[in-house]
Amino acid sequence: MSAMVKPQIKKGAFGKTTNQDQVELYTLTNANGMEARIMTYGGTVVSLKVPDRNGRLGDVVLGYDSLDGYLKNNPYFGSIIGRYGNRIGKAKFSLNGKPYTLPKNNGENTLHGGAKGFHTVVWKAMEVKPRDGVALSLSYLSKDGEEGFPGNLSVTVVYTLTNKNELRIDYSATTDKTTVVNLTNHSYFNLAGKGSILGHELMISADKFTPVDAGLIPTGELRSVKGTPMDFTTPTAIDARIDQQDEQLILGRGYDHNWVLNSVGGNLALAARVYEPTTGRVMEVYTTEPGLQFYSGNFLDGSITGKGGQVYNKRYGFCLETQHFPDSPNKPQFPSTVLEQGAKYRSTTIYTFTVRK
Ligand code: GLA
């Protein structure tokens, strides 16, 4: 473990957007020397340096060295996703009998908030004092009608780096008109810091998942994982079953599905644990959300050269996106994503980092 250091936040410039808006980069360091870099464009986690079993820090998230990459070609690396994370089928839904039409940016469907989702906006940053560690508060006002969604939505996302080596994300939002909200973070993890993620061992606390159609829209069924390649109730290497001739794996081109977490009532609970055998790094994900999208980086294809010149080939990163289920606005049987005027949206996810010797 690195020597104790004073927890701190440093602010620096990270460039300008195509609209000439200034983008800042904040470096958060905790008492153990663990470091998170977060930029105001997309509220993006740009790097996350955590110790391996020998105490050596390594960056466990994918991304670019400079803002330019994020502006030009960004598969949502590390960003905050909204107003509606994941897919809305046929790019429409209705609320109180009123239809709303959204931009189609994923075949017939809307993905991750539309073409100009929260991952493309510059957030307003403020340092805040948490009880433990250091924290950065980001806020954004999404205007009524933005990307087709109703209501002025005022959103705050607080990133806290605790001295227990946790990256905690607290989301909150209010609206002045009934709307739908589903916020998440789209970090691509690779606990080895490089190469394929196929050897990582994954556990997901879920007995069910939401099977999808060819457009990756849930059919509405909650299906048992038992006896299928979706069963991660006991730790299993990601590659153990990924190439099986399974209908759902074929539709997802690998894993790209939502798991129905076993937790109840919106209480913070363990959703997943990932272990990387070569470095000993362990990541746990805790969340108040009912769902978890496990995406195995199937669309990475070597066309992106990221940080330090690393070429991101297929399955070189994975995402664990805590969320409400995809297409909930069109699935009355799913937990609701509706936010009423006067109500407060709240969601918390914690990524904890430890090692196994
Ligand atoms: C999400 C989706 C995937 C893919 C990635 C980005 O997690 O579920 O299908 O679109 O984002 O490439």
Side-chain angles (χ1 to χ4, degrees):
M1 217 19 138
S2 342
M4 291 287 276
V5 292
K6 198 175 170 308
Q8 58 168 357
I9 299 194
K10 274 193 189 147
K11 175 182 172 183
F14 202 50
K16 281 183 182 167
T17 66
T18 42
N19 299 332
Q20 298 305 307
D21 292 325
Q22 272 292 349
V23 176
E24 316 289 350
L25 181 71
Y26 288 84
T27 303
L28 287 66
T29 313
N30 77 3
N32 314 311
M34 176 176 161
E35 182 201 276
R37 291 197 166 169
I38 295 161
M39 67 160 161
T40 53
Y41 179 77
T44 303
V45 178
V46 171
S47 71
L48 189 61
K49 292 186 183 146
V50 309
D52 66 7
R53 61 161 69 91
N54 299 313
R56 255 192 310 263
L57 290 179
D59 189 357
V60 295
V61 294
L62 274 52
Y64 290 105
D65 285 321
S66 66
L67 179 61
D68 206 44
Y70 292 93
L71 298 176
K72 285 193 179 133
N73 180 14
N74 185 9
Y76 312 98
F77 282 147
S79 308
I80 295 166
I81 306 294
R83 176 178 309 199
Y84 195 94
N86 217 312
R87 293 172 175 79
I88 296 182
K90 304 253 155 54
K92 58 183 185 199
F93 65 97
S94 36
L95 273 177
N96 304 326
K98 200 168 175 243
Y100 293 95
T101 310
L102 310 171
K104 292 182 179 167
N105 64 334
N106 190 245
E108 286 291 286
N109 309 317
T110 303
L111 175 65
H112 293 336
K116 294 193 210 96
F118 292 179
H119 61 289
T120 68
V121 305
V122 178
W123 294 67
K124 220 170 104 198
M126 205 172 70
E127 292 174 32
V128 289
K129 270 240 123 338
R131 263 188 312 212
D132 177 29
V134 285
L136 183 72
S137 171
L138 299 175
S139 54
Y140 175 65
L141 175 68
S142 171
K143 295 266 174 63
D144 187 8
E146 187 179 278
E147 296 300 280
F149 293 99
N152 288 296
L153 187 77
S154 169
V155 190
T156 301
V157 177
V158 180
Y159 282 104
T160 306
L161 180 62
T162 75
N163 293 324
K164 289 188 295 220
N165 286 7
E166 303 164 324
L167 181 66
R168 177 183 173 119
I169 315 179
D170 291 289
Y171 305 84
S172 60
T174 53
T175 181
D176 61 1
K177 218 189 249 177
T178 307
T179 190
V180 292
V181 189
N182 194 25
L183 305 179
T184 192
N185 176 280
H186 208 293
S187 287
Y188 286 69
F189 296 98
N190 183 325
L191 300 184
K194 59 173 192 296
S196 161
I197 50 92
L198 289 171
H200 288 54
E201 287 170 23
L202 173 65
M203 187 283 295
I204 304 178
S205 316
D207 296 333
K208 292 181 187 142
F209 76 107
T210 51
V212 291
D213 67 15
L216 297 188
I217 300 296
T219 59
E221 184 194 351
L222 307 185
R223 189 181 291 173
S224 170
V225 297
K226 237 195 164 101
T228 80
M230 314 313 257
D231 188 350
F232 283 98
T233 53
T234 52
T236 310
I238 293 175
D239 67 357
R241 300 159 303 184
I242 201 166
D243 291 322
Q244 283 185 11
Q245 289 304 301
D246 170 87
E247 174 224 20
Q248 286 296 313
L249 286 176
I250 293 166
L251 290 172
R253 295 169 186 77
Y255 293 105
D256 196 353
H257 299 79
N258 171 68
W259 271 256
V260 178
L261 296 171
N262 290 339
S263 57
V264 280
N267 291 316
L268 190 67
L270 179 67
R273 182 183 297 118
V274 193
Y275 168 60
E276 201 289 299
T278 68
T279 59
R281 291 194 181 100
V282 177
M283 179 175 83
E284 287 184 334
V285 184
Y286 293 81
T287 190
T288 56
E289 287 298 308
L292 180 75
Q293 182 89 6
F294 164 42
Y295 167 57
S296 52
N298 314 311
F299 294 116
L300 297 173
D301 60 3
S303 60
I304 289 178
T305 300
K307 285 185 272 186
Q310 278 196 59
V311 174
Y312 295 142
N313 290 318
K314 187 173 175 182
R315 299 181 181 149
Y316 269 37
F318 66 91
C319 303
L320 290 172
E321 304 153 57
T322 56
Q323 59 180 10
H324 271 56
F325 308 166
D327 201 32
S328 294
N330 295 308
K331 299 275 187 318
Q333 69 271 41
F334 286 175
S336 174
T337 50
V338 174
L339 181 69
E340 304 283 355
Q341 182 192 354
K344 189 145 187 166
Y345 169 92
R346 277 182 201 283
S347 173
T348 296
T349 292
I350 304 177
Y351 297 95
T352 73
F353 295 89
T354 55
V355 292
R356 209 174 283 171
K357 292 286 174 190

